[in-house]
Amino acid sequence: MLLDLTDRRVIVTGGARGIGLALVESFLAEGSRVAVLDLDVSSLDPLVASHHGDLVAIACDVRSEDSVSSAVAAAATGLGGIDVLVNNAGINVQSLLEETSDAAWTRCFDVNVGGVFRVSKAVIPYLKEQRSGRIINAASFAAVIPSVGSAAYAASKSAVVQLTRVLASELGPWGITVNAYAPGMVPTAMNGFAELPTAQQDELLDTLSVRRWEEPEDVANVVRFLASDQAGYVTGALIDVSGGKFATQFPARARG
Ligand SMILES: NC(=O)c1ccc[n+]([C@@H]2O[C@H](COP(=O)([O-])OP(=O)(O)OC[C@H]3O[C@@H](n4cnc5c(N)ncnc54)[C@H](O)[C@@H]3O)[C@@H](O)[C@H]2O)c1
């Protein structure tokens, strides 16, 4: 199946590093034109320079309505319109509930849920006008199966899933699809999985049916599909790209 994403105009929030950066590179490789919205985009200067107008990088804090509205306007100008929004920006808060500060809880929701709300709201008029588009939201397996110490993060990602479903219903009549995806465990700056002691890494990997760390490209493969014409009948869905986190309780038993 060939996914033709040539000249697709794509916004990726949080695209300066981690999974977001892999999404940016993967859309560029397909001939799409990409705008990155992130807190600090200076690290992208060499990539912007080597992509001759196909990549624009815009400083933006998804917690601020003003910052988002001017960044989305700049992205639309830079790309000549908007076809796809990937709401990837997110933060992790890990602490027992009784040790979670009010500020950490609020920040987690402000970025993870508020960011999806604000950037989607700013992009929707562009998509409605052309009666087509894709909104693709980073959820997490934590939205379905949370871990100890993930109250703020897991609750925020569950909220992203519900927001996705509501938005899918509201935008369906305009030919716009809205989906969420649930990565499993991609070692990034957010979680430091790859730096854990081997025994802890083994414990985490034993929860997976596909027993390896997830690559950012595993996520990008799903996101590119959701962005494509071929995904036109998929909406309001949470796509599991977790290597089997949802599949069974004790996948390690299959390995004897
Ligand atoms: N890494 C994983 O295993 C994993 C698993 C499930 C879900 N996810 C989700 O995938 C997304 C990307 O995760 P990652 O591991 O690449 O994280 P990361 O920390 O490496 O990257 C997150 C990016 O978001 C940006 N960002 C943070 N706050 C922002 C704000 N207020 N405004 C604009 N940009 C902001 C950061 O600057 C950074 O570039 C997140 O939404 C995360 O919750 C990741």
Side-chain angles (χ1 to χ4, degrees), residues 12-23 36-40 43 58-64 67-68 87-92 107 110-112 115-116 118-119 137-142 153 156-157 160 181-193 213-214 216 219 241:
V12 179
T13 70
R17 72 172 194 210
I19 298 170
L21 179 57
L23 295 175
V36 175
L37 273 52
D38 206 316
L39 289 172
D40 181 357
S43 62
I58 302 159
C60 172
D61 185 341
V62 300
R63 292 172 295 172
S64 154
S67 177
V68 165
N87 280 307
N88 161 80
I91 59 168
N92 193 7
R107 184 157 193 268
D110 210 10
V111 177
N112 293 359
V116 175
R118 281 178 212 102
V119 186
N137 298 326
S140 169
F141 73 91
Y153 182 76
S156 74
K157 290 298 184 178
V160 168
Y181 56 95
M185 298 187 293
V186 186
T188 63
M190 175 181 274
N191 50 45
F193 287 145
W213 294 123
E214 186 165 1
V219 182
V241 55

Short mmCIF file of all heavy atoms in Angstrom, two decimals, residues 12-23 36-40 43 58-64 67-68 87-92 107 110-112 115-116 118-119 137-142 153 156-157 160 181-193 213-214 216 219 241, ligand 1:
data_model
loop_
_atom_site.label_atom_id
_atom_site.label_comp_id
_atom_site.label_asym_id
_atom_site.label_seq_id
_atom_site.Cartn_x
_atom_site.Cartn_y
_atom_site.Cartn_z
N VAL A 12 3.44 19.47 13.53
CA VAL A 12 3.78 18.53 14.61
C VAL A 12 4.14 19.36 15.84
O VAL A 12 5.12 20.12 15.82
CB VAL A 12 4.97 17.62 14.24
CG1 VAL A 12 5.30 16.68 15.40
CG2 VAL A 12 4.68 16.82 12.97
N THR A 13 3.35 19.24 16.90
CA THR A 13 3.72 19.93 18.15
C THR A 13 4.75 19.07 18.89
O THR A 13 4.74 17.84 18.79
CB THR A 13 2.50 20.20 19.05
OG1 THR A 13 2.01 18.96 19.57
CG2 THR A 13 1.39 20.92 18.30
N GLY A 14 5.63 19.75 19.61
CA GLY A 14 6.66 19.00 20.34
C GLY A 14 7.60 18.24 19.41
O GLY A 14 8.12 17.18 19.78
N GLY A 15 7.84 18.81 18.23
CA GLY A 15 8.63 18.08 17.22
C GLY A 15 10.13 18.33 17.26
O GLY A 15 10.84 17.93 16.35
N ALA A 16 10.60 19.00 18.31
CA ALA A 16 12.04 19.32 18.36
C ALA A 16 12.90 18.15 18.81
O ALA A 16 14.12 18.15 18.61
CB ALA A 16 12.28 20.53 19.26
N ARG A 17 12.29 17.15 19.43
CA ARG A 17 13.10 15.99 19.88
C ARG A 17 12.19 14.77 20.04
O ARG A 17 10.97 14.84 19.87
CB ARG A 17 13.81 16.32 21.19
CG ARG A 17 12.88 16.37 22.38
CD ARG A 17 13.63 16.50 23.71
NE ARG A 17 12.71 16.23 24.81
CZ ARG A 17 12.80 16.76 26.01
NH1 ARG A 17 13.78 17.60 26.28
NH2 ARG A 17 11.94 16.45 26.96
N GLY A 18 12.80 13.67 20.41
CA GLY A 18 12.06 12.45 20.76
C GLY A 18 11.18 11.93 19.62
O GLY A 18 11.56 12.01 18.44
N ILE A 19 10.03 11.41 19.98
CA ILE A 19 9.11 10.84 18.97
C ILE A 19 8.70 11.91 17.97
O ILE A 19 8.61 11.66 16.77
CB ILE A 19 7.86 10.24 19.67
CG1 ILE A 19 8.25 9.10 20.61
CG2 ILE A 19 6.86 9.77 18.63
CD1 ILE A 19 7.11 8.61 21.50
N GLY A 20 8.48 13.13 18.48
CA GLY A 20 8.04 14.22 17.60
C GLY A 20 9.04 14.48 16.49
O GLY A 20 8.66 14.67 15.32
N LEU A 21 10.32 14.48 16.82
CA LEU A 21 11.35 14.72 15.79
C LEU A 21 11.33 13.59 14.76
O LEU A 21 11.47 13.83 13.54
CB LEU A 21 12.73 14.84 16.45
CG LEU A 21 13.90 15.07 15.50
CD1 LEU A 21 13.72 16.33 14.65
CD2 LEU A 21 15.22 15.18 16.30
N ALA A 22 11.13 12.36 15.22
CA ALA A 22 11.05 11.23 14.27
C ALA A 22 9.84 11.39 13.36
O ALA A 22 9.90 11.06 12.16
CB ALA A 22 10.97 9.91 15.04
N LEU A 23 8.74 11.90 13.91
CA LEU A 23 7.55 12.14 13.07
C LEU A 23 7.86 13.18 12.00
O LEU A 23 7.51 13.01 10.83
CB LEU A 23 6.38 12.64 13.93
CG LEU A 23 5.83 11.67 14.98
CD1 LEU A 23 4.77 12.36 15.84
CD2 LEU A 23 5.22 10.45 14.32
N VAL A 36 7.02 22.68 12.77
CA VAL A 36 7.20 22.21 14.15
C VAL A 36 6.84 23.34 15.09
O VAL A 36 7.31 24.46 14.93
CB VAL A 36 8.68 21.81 14.40
CG1 VAL A 36 8.89 21.45 15.87
CG2 VAL A 36 9.07 20.65 13.51
N LEU A 37 6.01 23.04 16.07
CA LEU A 37 5.71 23.99 17.14
C LEU A 37 6.28 23.40 18.43
O LEU A 37 5.85 22.32 18.86
CB LEU A 37 4.19 24.17 17.30
CG LEU A 37 3.48 25.22 16.43
CD1 LEU A 37 3.79 25.07 14.96
CD2 LEU A 37 1.98 25.17 16.68
N ASP A 38 7.25 24.09 19.02
CA ASP A 38 7.85 23.56 20.25
C ASP A 38 8.37 24.73 21.08
O ASP A 38 8.54 25.84 20.58
CB ASP A 38 9.00 22.58 19.91
CG ASP A 38 9.23 21.56 21.03
OD1 ASP A 38 9.24 21.95 22.22
OD2 ASP A 38 9.41 20.38 20.72
N LEU A 39 8.65 24.46 22.34
CA LEU A 39 9.11 25.51 23.26
C LEU A 39 10.40 26.15 22.75
O LEU A 39 10.55 27.36 22.74
CB LEU A 39 9.38 24.90 24.64
CG LEU A 39 8.16 24.45 25.44
CD1 LEU A 39 8.60 23.70 26.69
CD2 LEU A 39 7.30 25.66 25.81
N ASP A 40 11.34 25.29 22.34
CA ASP A 40 12.64 25.77 21.85
C ASP A 40 12.95 25.03 20.56
O ASP A 40 13.07 23.80 20.56
CB ASP A 40 13.72 25.48 22.91
CG ASP A 40 15.09 25.98 22.47
OD1 ASP A 40 15.21 26.50 21.34
OD2 ASP A 40 16.05 25.84 23.27
N SER A 43 17.39 23.91 18.09
CA SER A 43 18.12 22.69 17.70
C SER A 43 17.76 22.24 16.29
O SER A 43 18.46 21.41 15.70
CB SER A 43 17.83 21.56 18.69
OG SER A 43 16.45 21.25 18.66
N ILE A 58 8.72 26.88 14.66
CA ILE A 58 8.10 28.04 15.30
C ILE A 58 8.07 27.83 16.80
O ILE A 58 7.53 26.81 17.28
CB ILE A 58 6.66 28.22 14.76
CG1 ILE A 58 6.68 28.38 13.23
CG2 ILE A 58 5.96 29.40 15.42
CD1 ILE A 58 5.37 28.05 12.56
N ALA A 59 8.63 28.78 17.54
CA ALA A 59 8.59 28.67 19.01
C ALA A 59 7.16 28.83 19.48
O ALA A 59 6.45 29.76 19.05
CB ALA A 59 9.49 29.73 19.63
N CYS A 60 6.73 27.93 20.34
CA CYS A 60 5.33 27.95 20.79
C CYS A 60 5.21 27.20 22.11
O CYS A 60 5.79 26.13 22.28
CB CYS A 60 4.45 27.28 19.73
SG CYS A 60 2.74 27.04 20.23
N ASP A 61 4.44 27.77 23.02
CA ASP A 61 4.10 27.07 24.26
C ASP A 61 2.63 26.69 24.17
O ASP A 61 1.76 27.58 24.15
CB ASP A 61 4.36 27.99 25.46
CG ASP A 61 4.14 27.28 26.79
OD1 ASP A 61 3.47 26.22 26.80
OD2 ASP A 61 4.64 27.78 27.81
N VAL A 62 2.34 25.40 24.10
CA VAL A 62 0.95 24.97 23.91
C VAL A 62 0.07 25.27 25.12
O VAL A 62 -1.14 25.09 25.07
CB VAL A 62 0.85 23.47 23.52
CG1 VAL A 62 1.59 23.19 22.22
CG2 VAL A 62 1.32 22.55 24.64
N ARG A 63 0.69 25.77 26.20
CA ARG A 63 -0.11 26.18 27.37
C ARG A 63 -0.71 27.56 27.20
O ARG A 63 -1.54 27.97 28.02
CB ARG A 63 0.76 26.17 28.64
CG ARG A 63 1.20 24.78 29.06
CD ARG A 63 2.21 24.85 30.18
NE ARG A 63 3.44 25.49 29.73
CZ ARG A 63 4.46 25.82 30.51
NH1 ARG A 63 4.39 25.59 31.80
NH2 ARG A 63 5.54 26.38 30.02
N SER A 64 -0.28 28.29 26.18
CA SER A 64 -0.72 29.68 26.02
C SER A 64 -1.57 29.84 24.76
O SER A 64 -1.12 29.53 23.65
CB SER A 64 0.51 30.59 25.94
OG SER A 64 0.20 31.76 25.23
N SER A 67 0.14 32.27 22.30
CA SER A 67 1.29 31.65 21.64
C SER A 67 0.82 30.67 20.55
O SER A 67 1.34 30.66 19.44
CB SER A 67 2.13 30.93 22.70
OG SER A 67 3.20 30.25 22.12
N VAL A 68 -0.20 29.89 20.88
CA VAL A 68 -0.71 28.89 19.93
C VAL A 68 -1.35 29.58 18.73
O VAL A 68 -1.09 29.21 17.58
CB VAL A 68 -1.73 27.95 20.63
CG1 VAL A 68 -2.54 27.17 19.61
CG2 VAL A 68 -1.01 27.01 21.58
N ASN A 87 -0.82 16.31 17.40
CA ASN A 87 -0.67 16.86 18.75
C ASN A 87 0.22 15.90 19.54
O ASN A 87 -0.27 15.03 20.27
CB ASN A 87 -2.05 17.00 19.42
CG ASN A 87 -2.79 18.23 18.99
OD1 ASN A 87 -2.26 19.34 19.06
ND2 ASN A 87 -4.02 18.05 18.53
N ASN A 88 1.53 16.07 19.39
CA ASN A 88 2.50 15.17 20.02
C ASN A 88 3.07 15.73 21.33
O ASN A 88 3.50 14.97 22.20
CB ASN A 88 3.63 14.90 19.02
CG ASN A 88 4.89 14.38 19.68
OD1 ASN A 88 5.01 13.20 20.01
ND2 ASN A 88 5.86 15.28 19.91
N ALA A 89 3.07 17.06 21.49
CA ALA A 89 3.72 17.66 22.68
C ALA A 89 3.11 17.08 23.96
O ALA A 89 1.89 16.98 24.08
CB ALA A 89 3.56 19.18 22.67
N GLY A 90 3.97 16.70 24.87
CA GLY A 90 3.47 16.15 26.13
C GLY A 90 4.56 16.13 27.18
O GLY A 90 5.75 16.22 26.85
N ILE A 91 4.15 16.07 28.43
CA ILE A 91 5.11 15.92 29.52
C ILE A 91 4.66 14.77 30.41
O ILE A 91 3.49 14.39 30.42
CB ILE A 91 5.26 17.21 30.36
CG1 ILE A 91 3.93 17.64 30.98
CG2 ILE A 91 5.87 18.33 29.52
CD1 ILE A 91 4.06 18.71 32.04
N ASN A 92 5.62 14.27 31.16
CA ASN A 92 5.35 13.15 32.07
C ASN A 92 5.47 13.64 33.51
O ASN A 92 6.40 14.39 33.82
CB ASN A 92 6.39 12.04 31.82
CG ASN A 92 6.02 10.74 32.48
OD1 ASN A 92 4.94 10.59 33.03
ND2 ASN A 92 6.92 9.78 32.41
N ARG A 107 0.13 21.47 35.57
CA ARG A 107 1.00 21.59 34.40
C ARG A 107 0.80 20.39 33.46
O ARG A 107 0.75 20.54 32.24
CB ARG A 107 2.47 21.69 34.85
CG ARG A 107 3.42 21.91 33.72
CD ARG A 107 4.74 22.55 34.18
NE ARG A 107 5.49 23.01 33.03
CZ ARG A 107 6.40 22.29 32.40
NH1 ARG A 107 6.69 21.07 32.83
NH2 ARG A 107 7.03 22.77 31.36
N ASP A 110 -2.34 20.92 31.68
CA ASP A 110 -2.27 22.10 30.81
C ASP A 110 -1.54 21.78 29.50
O ASP A 110 -1.93 22.25 28.43
CB ASP A 110 -1.56 23.23 31.57
CG ASP A 110 -2.04 24.60 31.13
OD1 ASP A 110 -3.04 24.67 30.39
OD2 ASP A 110 -1.40 25.58 31.52
N VAL A 111 -0.47 20.99 29.60
CA VAL A 111 0.27 20.62 28.38
C VAL A 111 -0.46 19.49 27.65
O VAL A 111 -0.79 19.61 26.46
CB VAL A 111 1.71 20.17 28.72
CG1 VAL A 111 2.44 19.73 27.45
CG2 VAL A 111 2.49 21.29 29.41
N ASN A 112 -0.72 18.39 28.35
CA ASN A 112 -1.17 17.17 27.67
C ASN A 112 -2.60 17.26 27.13
O ASN A 112 -2.89 16.72 26.07
CB ASN A 112 -1.06 15.97 28.61
CG ASN A 112 0.39 15.63 28.95
OD1 ASN A 112 1.31 16.28 28.46
ND2 ASN A 112 0.60 14.63 29.78
N GLY A 115 -3.09 21.51 25.74
CA GLY A 115 -2.36 21.72 24.48
C GLY A 115 -3.13 21.16 23.29
O GLY A 115 -3.25 21.81 22.25
N VAL A 116 -3.68 19.96 23.45
CA VAL A 116 -4.47 19.36 22.37
C VAL A 116 -5.70 20.23 22.09
O VAL A 116 -6.05 20.50 20.93
CB VAL A 116 -4.90 17.91 22.74
CG1 VAL A 116 -5.82 17.33 21.67
CG2 VAL A 116 -3.67 17.03 22.93
N ARG A 118 -6.10 23.52 22.71
CA ARG A 118 -5.79 24.84 22.13
C ARG A 118 -5.32 24.75 20.68
O ARG A 118 -5.77 25.51 19.82
CB ARG A 118 -4.70 25.54 22.95
CG ARG A 118 -5.22 26.16 24.20
CD ARG A 118 -4.12 26.83 25.04
NE ARG A 118 -4.54 26.68 26.42
CZ ARG A 118 -4.05 25.78 27.27
NH1 ARG A 118 -3.05 25.00 26.92
NH2 ARG A 118 -4.53 25.69 28.49
N VAL A 119 -4.41 23.81 20.41
CA VAL A 119 -3.88 23.75 19.04
C VAL A 119 -4.96 23.25 18.07
O VAL A 119 -5.11 23.77 16.96
CB VAL A 119 -2.59 22.89 18.96
CG1 VAL A 119 -1.98 22.97 17.56
CG2 VAL A 119 -1.57 23.34 20.00
N ASN A 137 -3.74 12.58 17.74
CA ASN A 137 -3.35 12.96 19.10
C ASN A 137 -2.52 11.87 19.80
O ASN A 137 -2.91 10.69 19.79
CB ASN A 137 -4.60 13.22 19.94
CG ASN A 137 -5.42 14.38 19.38
OD1 ASN A 137 -4.86 15.33 18.83
ND2 ASN A 137 -6.73 14.29 19.51
N ALA A 138 -1.43 12.28 20.42
CA ALA A 138 -0.62 11.33 21.21
C ALA A 138 -1.34 11.04 22.52
O ALA A 138 -1.45 11.90 23.38
CB ALA A 138 0.75 11.93 21.50
N ALA A 139 -1.82 9.81 22.65
CA ALA A 139 -2.31 9.33 23.95
C ALA A 139 -1.18 8.49 24.53
O ALA A 139 0.00 8.86 24.44
CB ALA A 139 -3.60 8.55 23.79
N SER A 140 -1.50 7.36 25.12
CA SER A 140 -0.49 6.47 25.69
C SER A 140 -1.21 5.21 26.14
O SER A 140 -2.41 5.24 26.43
CB SER A 140 0.17 7.13 26.90
OG SER A 140 0.95 6.19 27.62
N PHE A 141 -0.45 4.10 26.28
CA PHE A 141 -1.08 2.92 26.89
C PHE A 141 -1.53 3.25 28.31
O PHE A 141 -2.44 2.63 28.85
CB PHE A 141 -0.13 1.71 26.87
CG PHE A 141 1.01 1.81 27.85
CD1 PHE A 141 0.89 1.29 29.13
CD2 PHE A 141 2.19 2.43 27.49
CE1 PHE A 141 1.94 1.40 30.03
CE2 PHE A 141 3.25 2.54 28.39
CZ PHE A 141 3.11 2.03 29.67
N ALA A 142 -0.90 4.28 28.92
CA ALA A 142 -1.28 4.68 30.28
C ALA A 142 -2.71 5.18 30.34
O ALA A 142 -3.32 5.20 31.42
CB ALA A 142 -0.32 5.75 30.80
N TYR A 153 -0.41 11.79 34.82
CA TYR A 153 -0.12 11.48 33.41
C TYR A 153 -1.23 10.60 32.82
O TYR A 153 -1.77 10.90 31.74
CB TYR A 153 1.23 10.78 33.31
CG TYR A 153 1.65 10.45 31.90
CD1 TYR A 153 2.12 11.45 31.04
CD2 TYR A 153 1.58 9.15 31.41
CE1 TYR A 153 2.50 11.14 29.74
CE2 TYR A 153 1.96 8.84 30.12
CZ TYR A 153 2.43 9.83 29.28
OH TYR A 153 2.81 9.53 27.99
N SER A 156 -4.47 12.41 32.41
CA SER A 156 -4.42 13.39 31.31
C SER A 156 -4.52 12.68 29.96
O SER A 156 -5.17 13.17 29.04
CB SER A 156 -3.15 14.24 31.40
OG SER A 156 -2.01 13.51 30.99
N LYS A 157 -3.90 11.52 29.84
CA LYS A 157 -3.93 10.81 28.55
C LYS A 157 -5.31 10.18 28.31
O LYS A 157 -5.76 10.08 27.16
CB LYS A 157 -2.82 9.76 28.49
CG LYS A 157 -1.42 10.38 28.40
CD LYS A 157 -1.24 11.21 27.13
CE LYS A 157 0.16 11.75 26.97
NZ LYS A 157 0.34 12.51 25.72
N VAL A 160 -7.29 12.84 26.87
CA VAL A 160 -6.99 13.03 25.44
C VAL A 160 -7.84 12.07 24.59
O VAL A 160 -8.35 12.44 23.52
CB VAL A 160 -5.49 12.82 25.16
CG1 VAL A 160 -5.20 12.73 23.66
CG2 VAL A 160 -4.67 13.95 25.78
N TYR A 181 -3.40 7.78 19.25
CA TYR A 181 -2.58 6.57 19.19
C TYR A 181 -1.92 6.37 20.55
O TYR A 181 -1.67 7.33 21.28
CB TYR A 181 -1.54 6.64 18.06
CG TYR A 181 -0.63 7.84 18.12
CD1 TYR A 181 0.62 7.77 18.73
CD2 TYR A 181 -1.03 9.06 17.59
CE1 TYR A 181 1.46 8.87 18.80
CE2 TYR A 181 -0.20 10.17 17.66
CZ TYR A 181 1.04 10.08 18.27
OH TYR A 181 1.85 11.17 18.35
N ALA A 182 -1.66 5.11 20.86
CA ALA A 182 -1.11 4.77 22.17
C ALA A 182 0.23 4.07 22.00
O ALA A 182 0.28 2.84 21.81
CB ALA A 182 -2.08 3.86 22.92
N PRO A 183 1.34 4.83 22.07
CA PRO A 183 2.65 4.16 22.08
C PRO A 183 2.82 3.39 23.39
O PRO A 183 2.10 3.62 24.37
CB PRO A 183 3.65 5.32 22.00
CG PRO A 183 2.86 6.53 21.63
CD PRO A 183 1.48 6.29 22.14
N GLY A 184 3.81 2.50 23.39
CA GLY A 184 4.10 1.75 24.61
C GLY A 184 5.29 2.34 25.32
O GLY A 184 5.15 3.28 26.10
N MET A 185 6.48 1.84 25.02
CA MET A 185 7.68 2.31 25.73
C MET A 185 8.79 2.63 24.71
O MET A 185 9.51 1.74 24.27
CB MET A 185 8.13 1.26 26.72
CG MET A 185 7.07 0.99 27.80
SD MET A 185 7.63 -0.09 29.12
CE MET A 185 7.84 -1.63 28.27
N VAL A 186 8.87 3.90 24.37
CA VAL A 186 9.92 4.40 23.47
C VAL A 186 10.94 5.11 24.34
O VAL A 186 10.62 6.12 24.96
CB VAL A 186 9.34 5.42 22.46
CG1 VAL A 186 10.40 5.83 21.44
CG2 VAL A 186 8.07 4.92 21.81
N PRO A 187 12.16 4.61 24.44
CA PRO A 187 13.15 5.31 25.28
C PRO A 187 13.42 6.71 24.74
O PRO A 187 13.84 6.87 23.59
CB PRO A 187 14.40 4.43 25.17
CG PRO A 187 13.89 3.09 24.76
CD PRO A 187 12.71 3.37 23.87
N THR A 188 13.11 7.72 25.54
CA THR A 188 13.36 9.12 25.16
C THR A 188 13.77 9.88 26.41
O THR A 188 13.79 9.32 27.52
CB THR A 188 12.09 9.80 24.58
OG1 THR A 188 11.10 9.84 25.62
CG2 THR A 188 11.55 9.11 23.36
N ALA A 189 14.03 11.18 26.23
CA ALA A 189 14.38 12.03 27.38
C ALA A 189 13.25 12.04 28.41
O ALA A 189 13.48 12.27 29.60
CB ALA A 189 14.65 13.45 26.89
N MET A 190 12.03 11.80 27.95
CA MET A 190 10.87 11.83 28.85
C MET A 190 10.93 10.75 29.92
O MET A 190 10.47 10.93 31.03
CB MET A 190 9.58 11.68 28.04
CG MET A 190 8.34 11.58 28.88
SD MET A 190 6.85 11.38 27.89
CE MET A 190 6.48 13.08 27.54
N ASN A 191 11.47 9.57 29.57
CA ASN A 191 11.37 8.45 30.51
C ASN A 191 12.73 7.83 30.88
O ASN A 191 12.81 7.09 31.87
CB ASN A 191 10.45 7.35 29.94
CG ASN A 191 10.82 6.99 28.51
OD1 ASN A 191 11.99 6.81 28.20
ND2 ASN A 191 9.83 6.87 27.65
N GLY A 192 13.76 8.04 30.09
CA GLY A 192 15.08 7.51 30.41
C GLY A 192 15.13 5.99 30.51
O GLY A 192 16.00 5.43 31.18
N PHE A 193 14.22 5.27 29.82
CA PHE A 193 14.18 3.80 29.92
C PHE A 193 15.53 3.17 29.60
O PHE A 193 15.96 2.22 30.26
CB PHE A 193 13.14 3.22 28.95
CG PHE A 193 11.71 3.43 29.37
CD1 PHE A 193 10.72 3.64 28.42
CD2 PHE A 193 11.34 3.41 30.71
CE1 PHE A 193 9.40 3.83 28.80
CE2 PHE A 193 10.02 3.61 31.08
CZ PHE A 193 9.05 3.82 30.13
N TRP A 213 12.39 -2.59 22.99
CA TRP A 213 11.98 -1.19 23.10
C TRP A 213 11.34 -0.74 21.80
O TRP A 213 11.77 -1.15 20.72
CB TRP A 213 13.17 -0.27 23.43
CG TRP A 213 13.78 -0.49 24.77
CD1 TRP A 213 15.08 -0.79 25.02
CD2 TRP A 213 13.13 -0.39 26.05
NE1 TRP A 213 15.28 -0.89 26.37
CE2 TRP A 213 14.11 -0.66 27.03
CE3 TRP A 213 11.83 -0.11 26.46
CZ2 TRP A 213 13.83 -0.65 28.39
CZ3 TRP A 213 11.54 -0.11 27.82
CH2 TRP A 213 12.53 -0.37 28.76
N GLU A 214 10.34 0.10 21.94
CA GLU A 214 9.69 0.66 20.75
C GLU A 214 10.60 1.72 20.13
O GLU A 214 11.22 2.51 20.84
CB GLU A 214 8.36 1.28 21.16
CG GLU A 214 7.52 1.76 20.01
CD GLU A 214 6.07 2.02 20.44
OE1 GLU A 214 5.74 1.85 21.63
OE2 GLU A 214 5.29 2.42 19.56
N PRO A 216 10.97 5.11 17.71
CA PRO A 216 10.11 6.22 17.26
C PRO A 216 9.48 5.94 15.90
O PRO A 216 8.35 6.32 15.64
CB PRO A 216 11.08 7.40 17.20
CG PRO A 216 12.16 7.07 18.16
CD PRO A 216 12.30 5.58 18.12
N VAL A 219 6.12 4.28 15.90
CA VAL A 219 5.02 5.24 16.09
C VAL A 219 4.76 5.99 14.78
O VAL A 219 3.61 6.14 14.36
CB VAL A 219 5.36 6.24 17.23
CG1 VAL A 219 4.20 7.20 17.45
CG2 VAL A 219 5.70 5.50 18.52
N VAL A 241 -0.27 1.08 19.51
CA VAL A 241 1.04 0.78 18.91
C VAL A 241 2.03 0.60 20.05
O VAL A 241 3.02 1.30 20.18
CB VAL A 241 1.47 1.85 17.86
CG1 VAL A 241 1.45 3.26 18.43
CG2 VAL A 241 2.83 1.53 17.26
N1 LIG B 1 8.19 7.87 25.00
C1 LIG B 1 7.21 7.02 25.28
O1 LIG B 1 7.46 5.85 25.62
C2 LIG B 1 5.78 7.44 25.16
C3 LIG B 1 4.77 6.50 25.43
C4 LIG B 1 3.45 6.87 25.31
C5 LIG B 1 3.12 8.16 24.92
N2 LIG B 1 4.09 9.06 24.66
C6 LIG B 1 3.70 10.43 24.25
O2 LIG B 1 4.37 10.80 23.06
C7 LIG B 1 4.62 12.20 23.07
C8 LIG B 1 6.12 12.46 22.83
O3 LIG B 1 6.85 11.85 23.87
P1 LIG B 1 8.45 11.79 23.88
O4 LIG B 1 8.82 10.58 24.64
O5 LIG B 1 8.99 12.02 22.52
O6 LIG B 1 8.78 13.05 24.84
P2 LIG B 1 9.99 14.10 24.83
O7 LIG B 1 10.02 14.66 26.21
O8 LIG B 1 11.22 13.51 24.27
O9 LIG B 1 9.47 15.22 23.80
C9 LIG B 1 8.34 16.02 24.11
C10 LIG B 1 8.41 17.29 23.30
O10 LIG B 1 7.28 18.12 23.67
C11 LIG B 1 7.74 19.44 23.86
N3 LIG B 1 6.90 20.18 24.81
C12 LIG B 1 6.77 19.95 26.14
N4 LIG B 1 6.00 20.89 26.69
C13 LIG B 1 5.63 21.73 25.69
C14 LIG B 1 4.85 22.92 25.63
N5 LIG B 1 4.29 23.46 26.73
N6 LIG B 1 4.68 23.53 24.44
C15 LIG B 1 5.25 23.02 23.32
N7 LIG B 1 6.01 21.91 23.31
C16 LIG B 1 6.20 21.28 24.49
C17 LIG B 1 9.17 19.27 24.43
O11 LIG B 1 9.91 20.47 24.29
C18 LIG B 1 9.69 18.11 23.59
O12 LIG B 1 10.29 18.55 22.38
C19 LIG B 1 4.12 12.72 24.41
O13 LIG B 1 2.81 13.24 24.27
C20 LIG B 1 4.10 11.47 25.27
O14 LIG B 1 3.19 11.57 26.35
C21 LIG B 1 5.43 8.74 24.78
#
